[in-house]
Every structure is written in C-alpha cells, then in structure tokens.
Amino acid sequence: MQIIVNGDDALSAYLAMDSGNPYVTYGISKPVIKSAANEIREGRFCKRCGEKLEYRFYHYSQLGDYECTGCDFKRPKIQYDASEIEVGDHLSFTVEGRRIRANYRGFYNVYNILAAYAAARTGGLELTGFNEMLAAFNPENGRMEQFQIRIRKSC
C-alpha cells in the first residue's frame, strides 16, 4: 500500500515513515501567511526520540518545515509542492507547473485540494479537467459558509 501524506505535518509524516510502506508527500515549502502566534500546539516533540522539534517556519498548528534537535527526523522531501499560493475570496496555487483555482476559502483548503491532487496523480490520473471539477463541486454547508439575509426594518 502506498500512503499519501501531508509532509508538513510531523505527526502524519512520522506515521508514514514508521509504517514501512512507500509514501508520497504533499506540502507547502514556503511561508504563506504570517502569524502573530508563535506556539506549536501539537507535534512539538519528535515521535522517534522525544526531543523538541525546531521549525524553520510553520503555517498553523504543527504544519510547516520542521526538524528534530535530537535525531535525524525531519520534514521529508515534498513531491507535490504548492507554490504561488493566493488566499482570500478564492484559492489558487501552482503544483507541477499547473495553476489550480477554486472558489473556496480558508487556507486549510489548499491542503485539502493538494491532498486530492497528489492522490489522483499518484494513481496515474492526468487531471486534465481538475479546475473544472473544482468549479463544479459544491461543498456541503459548514465552515466558511456565507448567508445574505434581507434586512427588515422595525416599525
């Protein structure tokens, strides 16, 4: 079994490496959003030796570019690397020289889309209509949903 793993997540990457199975990585190799928070909430310590992980940068939570201070565990080489990332009213990024666009919000969706892309490409799909598929997909209600409510005047 081949594992598709977020290489930016030290916890997931460790599990993939420890599994003994071949794995494919996806991630974001450059800082995208500057955060005032400097606290890693999860994955502060190496699962291999227990020492503290040092981060060159991180995007949020424990996702970023890490390396252990006590052993050779570090962020693996990223095979499907998102670059030129834009977030706002829509998302866009480049991977394998392809510009991916989606009418989604939330930085975390870059990872979600990148995971689907990496899995499909690893499975041998060309993904010639990937942007069209993203445009046609209507995610279920939930996070980042917006409503417009007609304003009523009180008498």
Side-chain angles (χ1 to χ4, degrees), residues 101-151:
R101 292 179 179 83
N103 289 324
Y104 303 160
R105 294 185 182 169
F107 179 69
Y108 64 93
N109 276 315
V110 173
Y111 280 110
N112 292 342
I113 295 166
L114 192 55
Y117 182 93
R121 292 289 292 138
T122 300
L125 300 177
E126 289 298 318
L127 296 180
T128 54
F130 194 67
N131 280 324
E132 292 78 10
M133 182 271 312
L134 288 173
F137 179 70
N138 184 16
E140 293 296 320
N141 296 341
R143 208 184 279 186
M144 302 305 227
E145 185 176 9
Q146 290 186 351
F147 298 95
Q148 287 192 359
I149 301 172
R150 193 172 70 198
I151 298 173

Side-chain angles (χ1 to χ4, degrees), residues 33-41 55 57-61:
I33 299 172
K34 294 189 180 196
S35 173
N38 288 322
E39 180 181 345
I40 307 299
R41 291 179 177 81
Y55 279 76
F57 68 84
Y58 68 99
H59 302 295
Y60 64 89
S61 192

